[in-house]
């Protein structure tokens, strides 16, 4: 099983190839350039470095949201284009689930926090057991107060990760009543390797879709849509 994985859902752009539970290559950039400038060149570079024939991949996995609206569209369009050109299925991996998967096997609860602006966060709550990753709260767009209340209600220690940790650190320090810590730099942002690893589980379960059917999950309206509704 060979999976090509893409993630451009947040500040990070990332491309990886996972084959039979082995990470063959990964290219991840967290810099100021837009994903439209970086994603395809990164894919080309990874393919060259590992001598990848794109026709040999079994599926294309993409972080399907939530996240940056522009970033999700770029990732979705890239995955759809590759899927159509190569006649390969797509695997839609929820962004927050893939982010939590960075900490596979962690003994504490895992709470990803992506900055969704206006004191909102794209988040969820997860734990890892012998059966793998368990979803305690499905990915959602909520206020930081709501997810911290949920964490407090568990009474269990938790590790936070994601670009939202820097934004909400002061709120967490003031309001989180359980033991907590923050994931280290190499684990606290989106990684295509995690998208690909989780996609392998989906592939085994037959959770795939056609390129034509794929669409991102935004979880909430865009700013332009919200402003239009407010005017009405």
């Amino acid at each position: 099983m060979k999976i090509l994985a893409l993630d451009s859902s947040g500040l990070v752009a990332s491309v990886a190839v996972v084959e039979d539970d082995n990470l063959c290559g990964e290219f991840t950039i967290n810099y100021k350039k837009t994903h439209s400038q970086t994603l395809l060149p990164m894919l080309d570079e990874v393919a060259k470095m590992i001598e990848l024939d794109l026709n040999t991949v079994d599926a294309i996995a993409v972080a399907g949201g939530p996240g940056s609206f522009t970033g999700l569209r770029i990732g979705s369009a890239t995955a759809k284009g590759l899927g159509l050109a190569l006649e390969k299925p797509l695997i839609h991996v929820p962004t927050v689930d893939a982010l939590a998967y960075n900490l596979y096997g962690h003994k504490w609860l895992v709470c990803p926090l992506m900055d969704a602006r206006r004191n909102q966060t794209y988040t969820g709550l997860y734990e890892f057991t012998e059966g793998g990753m368990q979803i305690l709260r499905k990915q959602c767009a909520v206020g930081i107060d709501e997810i911290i209340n949920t964490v407090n209600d568990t009474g269990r220690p938790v590790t936070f990760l994601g670009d939202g940790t820097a934004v909400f650190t002061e709120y967490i320090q003031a309001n989180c009543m359980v033991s907590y810590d923050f994931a280290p730099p190499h684990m606290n942002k989106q990684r295509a390797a995690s998208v690909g690893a989780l996609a392998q589980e989906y592939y085994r379960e037959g959770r795939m879709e056609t390129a034509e059917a794929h669409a991102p999950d935004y979880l909430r309206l865009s700013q332009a849509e919200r402003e239009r509704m407010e005017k009405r």
Side-chain angles (χ1 to χ4, degrees):
M1 185 197 316
K2 187 182 294 184
I3 305 291
L4 169 63
L6 310 172
D7 193 330
S8 59
S9 59
L11 299 175
V12 170
S14 188
V15 176
V17 177
V18 179
E19 182 176 11
D20 296 330
D21 297 317
N22 179 51
L23 175 61
C24 300
E26 182 181 27
F27 195 154
T28 299
I29 290 292
N30 182 12
Y31 196 59
K32 301 172 184 178
K33 294 182 179 179
T34 64
H35 298 327
S36 60
Q37 294 175 286
T38 58
L39 201 60
L40 285 175
M42 289 164 58
L43 170 57
D44 184 57
E45 188 65 26
V46 168
K48 288 178 181 177
M49 292 297 291
I50 65 173
E51 299 178 350
L52 173 67
D53 178 357
L54 287 173
N55 289 291
T56 65
V57 304
D58 295 296
I60 298 160
V62 60
S68 158
F69 283 67
T70 301
L72 289 175
R73 289 177 182 128
I74 292 170
S76 176
T78 302
K80 287 169 74 74
L82 289 168
L84 289 168
L86 300 172
E87 297 183 342
K88 303 292 182 179
L90 265 58
I91 302 176
H92 181 131
V93 178
T95 301
V96 180
D97 292 12
L99 189 53
Y101 215 68
N102 285 3
L103 300 183
Y104 188 93
H106 193 51
K107 297 185 182 301
W108 287 11
L109 296 180
V110 175
C111 183
L113 297 173
M114 296 174 63
D115 182 19
R117 309 293 175 85
R118 298 185 176 185
N119 283 323
Q120 295 274 306
T121 178
Y122 299 124
T123 186
L125 194 60
Y126 305 81
E127 69 175 340
F128 292 94
T129 67
E130 292 183 0
M133 185 171 75
Q134 309 300 320
I135 302 175
L136 303 182
R137 177 158 186 177
K138 187 178 178 182
Q139 67 173 20
C140 54
V142 298
I144 185 62
D145 57 335
E146 182 173 334
I147 190 61
I148 295 302
N149 286 339
T150 298
V151 168
N152 288 337
D153 287 343
T154 69
R156 298 169 58 185
V158 62
T159 295
F160 296 104
L161 73 161
D163 59 46
T165 55
V167 178
F168 300 119
T169 295
E170 290 186 5
Y171 187 91
I172 292 170
Q173 291 172 339
N175 296 279
C176 190
M177 299 294 106
V178 300
S179 297
Y180 66 88
D181 63 10
F182 299 101
H186 64 294
M187 294 180 175
N188 73 353
K189 299 292 193 305
Q190 286 90 338
R191 292 187 59 184
S194 293
V195 174
L198 188 52
Q200 286 201 322
E201 299 297 323
Y202 287 12
Y203 187 91
R204 295 185 183 104
E205 297 168 5
R207 295 168 61 180
M208 291 172 282
E209 61 187 358
T210 64
E212 294 93 337
H214 173 74
D217 289 332
Y218 298 115
L219 290 192
R220 66 175 193 172
L221 298 175
S222 68
Q223 181 178 347
E225 291 172 315
R226 291 196 304 269
E227 290 176 352
R228 185 168 62 249
M229 290 183 66
E230 289 170 1
K231 288 179 181 178
R232 288 177 179 174

